[in-house]
Amino acid sequence: MAAAPTGGSSRYLVLAAMIFAVAMTFIDQTIVSIAVPNIQYELKLTSTGVQWAVNAYLLTLAAFFAFGGRLADTVGHRRMVVLGVLVFAGASACCGLTPTGSLAEAWLITFRAVQGFGGAIMFPAALAIVVQNFALRERGRALALFFGIAGGLTAIGPVLGGYLTEWTWRAIFWVNLPVAAVALVLVAISKPVTESRPAPMDYRGLALIAGGVALSVFGFQQSQVWDWSNPAIGLCIAAGAGLLVVFAFVEKRTASPLIKVDIFRIRAFTVQNLVLGISMLVFVPVFFFSSEYAQIALGDSSSEAGVFLLWFFIGFVIASQIGGRMLDRGGAKRPVVIGCVLAAIGFHLWAGDATSLSFGEQQWDVVLAGAGMGFMLSPASTDAVNRASRLSYGEATGITQTVRNYAASLGLAVLGTVLVTDLRTRLTDSLVAQGLPHDQAEATAAHLSQVQAQSGGGGSGGAAAIPQFFRDDFAQATQTVFHWMSVIMAVAAVVAIVGLRGGVQAEVAAADEEQPLPSGREGGA
């Protein structure tokens, strides 16, 4: 199915172009949260409005990944990368130009959603281009660089955001413009050669999957605000899940479906998506929980909290390169299993040292946890796309990214609830120990924990502004979350051990890629 891989130096120029293209989406996952207090203050946003300035991007990104993957396969991968970069950069510029006054809230939320849509049509196409331009036995290494470098930018976001916000919060959006310009120039120079399959778009399937993912993710996002006792949370999640079930039935009876659900009959594809889904319960949430921990328990500034995350990505980037090479040499099972086990051990050790309130005692635990995630994420993602190659790269990428974002939203909601519940219990005990009546202590603890949950811990004002008992209780609550992360990664390891088969991918799958197909071709001329 793929176009013939291009020559040595040009392949890596294509890889660089795609890394710059998706860099904006990775940076934006974390950079905006740092500037939230400044944005809210200057634009006079409501608490709900500022929450949606963050959530609108993530929600739209998750809802339209499957559409972006299918669109790339039918219209052309290079076209969709260019269009996605232009949409994302244009929306970023508009976010940075948000006017003050009554229009501010609607303006910012709208263009944050447009950013998410641009990312959703860009990312699957970019990843498909990398897959098509590297031979099967070289993809592990190539995609390790892709995920390692692009993923590392997620950690740079808080650091960069902290410094840019000191100038103006608008700069956190404008920083995407030079990145987009470099990406477009590299695409024009490298001229990646890809193939596409013209086909009608399944708009009925698009409506079902976008609605199902959006409703479910919305329910997860709102759980921290409305509380799980609110029936609207369960209704949103159940309605979203119901739409996804209907989507699966409809797609099996659609001539040109948005997603060929038979793709899940490929054992390795299904297992790798299950492993990815389980691990993403941890991977995205760890950025938020460790940042909160650094700012509240350790009393760090937002910029210092970003540096805290860099240690995680030191392990991640190095291990992802090793994992990618192991995938090329011996298949996916070994690096995926090793990665899950290392991550489980790393999070367990991190949990044990979290209450020390000393980063020096935790830094190698953080590196180990990051290394474990790096070892397994790139090989699992690469192997899933490789196994499904005869169906389509863009579509397969859209599926894996939908699974990853859906699971990340679930992880944030569930682990966030674990954190708040544990913190509330510990704060109640601490306040009672200080002489407060139990009922009053319970009410005060509930208020404090809810304020923390909705604010995300930003702008703490340093260690001196936070009572010592709150810092200690927050560290213990975070310890509980890290223990659960360890358990989750252990479950991922068991799934990988039981579900994956050893050895390199069967050559028959590689041969399938070379079968002639009725296709369109984006040439390099």
Side-chain angles (χ1 to χ4, degrees):
M1 162 171 183
T6 53
S9 59
S10 59
R11 286 179 304 161
Y12 284 96
L13 192 58
V14 168
L15 178 62
M18 296 307 106
I19 289 173
F20 269 94
V22 303
M24 299 180 293
T25 68
F26 280 88
I27 292 173
D28 262 56
Q29 287 183 12
T30 52
I31 194 172
V32 175
S33 60
I34 294 297
V36 160
N38 301 73
I39 294 173
Q40 184 172 16
Y41 176 78
E42 184 173 324
L43 298 181
K44 307 292 191 294
L45 301 182
T46 64
S47 57
T48 302
V50 76
Q51 179 197 9
W52 276 104
V54 175
N55 287 350
Y57 171 77
L58 299 173
L59 186 64
T60 314
L61 193 68
F64 286 98
F65 259 130
F67 171 68
R70 180 64 171 166
L71 197 62
D73 286 333
T74 58
V75 175
H77 302 93
R78 195 171 79 189
R79 292 187 186 96
M80 296 316 299
V81 167
V82 171
L83 178 61
V85 169
L86 290 173
V87 170
F88 198 100
S92 298
C94 290
C95 287
L97 294 171
T98 301
T100 56
S102 59
L103 280 178
E105 193 162 291
W107 178 291
L108 184 59
I109 292 171
T110 297
F111 285 106
R112 283 288 286 161
V114 175
Q115 272 189 310
F117 180 77
I121 63 175
M122 177 210 311
F123 191 94
L127 186 54
I129 286 175
V130 176
V131 171
Q132 289 188 353
N133 281 272
F134 283 84
L136 182 67
R137 296 292 176 258
E138 299 174 323
R139 286 180 196 157
R141 181 185 225 177
L143 288 177
L145 285 170
F146 181 88
F147 285 112
I149 296 174
L153 295 173
T154 309
I156 292 175
V159 181
L160 185 61
Y163 289 111
L164 289 176
T165 302
E166 292 178 6
W167 171 41
T168 170
W169 63 263
R170 298 176 188 273
I172 68 169
F173 296 110
W174 291 336
V175 74
N176 290 325
L177 301 182
V179 177
V182 173
L184 293 173
V185 169
L186 288 176
V187 169
I189 294 173
S190 63
K191 297 181 174 66
V193 178
T194 66
E195 291 181 337
S196 59
R197 284 179 166 180
M201 180 55 67
D202 174 22
Y203 290 105
R204 179 175 59 179
L206 170 60
L208 287 170
I209 193 170
V213 172
L215 274 173
S216 299
V217 172
F218 174 76
F220 296 144
Q221 288 178 337
Q222 292 300 107
S223 63
Q224 294 295 301
V225 180
W226 293 348
D227 196 80
W228 286 100
S229 60
N230 190 321
I233 296 294
L235 186 61
C236 282
I237 295 173
L243 286 177
L244 293 177
V245 172
V246 173
F247 169 79
F249 280 106
V250 168
E251 293 299 274
K252 288 183 71 70
R253 292 161 178 79
T254 301
S256 180
L258 187 72
I259 290 177
K260 301 179 183 72
V261 292
D262 286 346
I263 196 171
F264 289 101
R265 292 183 180 178
I266 302 172
R267 176 190 175 97
F269 181 83
T270 300
V271 174
Q272 293 289 25
N273 272 280
L274 185 56
V275 171
L276 284 169
I278 295 170
S279 63
M280 290 305 287
L281 295 171
V282 169
F283 184 62
V284 171
V286 73
F287 304 146
F288 293 91
F289 292 122
S290 60
S291 179
E292 286 187 339
Y293 169 80
Q295 292 181 71
I296 295 175
L298 302 186
D300 290 342
S301 67
S302 56
S303 297
E304 291 168 336
V307 174
F308 189 97
L309 289 176
L310 285 178
W311 283 92
F312 182 90
F313 273 97
I314 288 174
F316 181 89
V317 172
I318 294 173
S320 66
Q321 308 312 305
I322 301 172
R325 285 164 173 75
M326 289 178 68
L327 169 66
D328 289 337
R329 290 197 305 266
K333 182 169 184 175
R334 184 177 298 174
V336 170
V337 171
I338 290 175
C340 290
V341 170
L342 287 179
I345 295 171
F347 282 116
H348 177 74
L349 295 175
W350 194 357
D353 291 332
T355 54
S356 69
L357 301 185
S358 167
F359 177 66
E361 293 187 25
Q362 301 171 51
Q363 65 183 64
W364 294 112
D365 306 333
V366 176
V367 172
L368 181 59
M373 301 306 293
F375 242 112
M376 56 80 51
L377 274 178
S378 177
S381 300
T382 306
D383 191 51
V385 176
N386 282 345
R387 303 285 181 165
S389 59
R390 60 184 176 273
L391 294 173
S392 75
Y393 295 134
E395 180 182 324
T397 302
I399 294 170
T400 58
Q401 292 305 310
T402 300
V403 168
R404 289 176 62 155
N405 279 267
Y406 194 95
S409 298
L410 175 60
L412 280 168
V414 173
L415 292 175
T417 300
V418 169
L419 178 75
V420 170
T421 302
D422 194 84
L423 177 61
R424 185 176 300 174
T425 301
R426 296 182 186 281
L427 286 174
T428 299
D429 292 342
S430 295
L431 291 169
V432 168
Q434 293 178 31
L436 215 60
H438 187 274
D439 289 347
Q440 188 178 347
E442 201 169 53
T444 303
H447 172 72
L448 290 174
S449 60
Q450 194 63 29
V451 168
Q452 173 275 321
Q454 293 184 22
S455 68
S460 60
I466 306 173
Q468 185 63 43
F469 78 91
F470 192 100
R471 295 175 62 203
D472 292 337
D473 290 343
F474 192 87
Q476 291 178 330
T478 305
Q479 180 182 60
T480 301
V481 170
F482 288 158
H483 275 309
W484 274 111
M485 288 181 172
S486 176
V487 171
I488 290 169
M489 292 311 300
V491 171
V494 172
V495 171
I497 291 169
V498 174
L500 295 178
R501 292 169 180 160
V504 297
Q505 180 171 331
E507 289 299 328
V508 64
D512 286 344
E513 296 178 329
E514 300 171 3
Q515 296 301 316
L517 293 168
S519 63
R521 184 178 176 92
E522 292 183 297

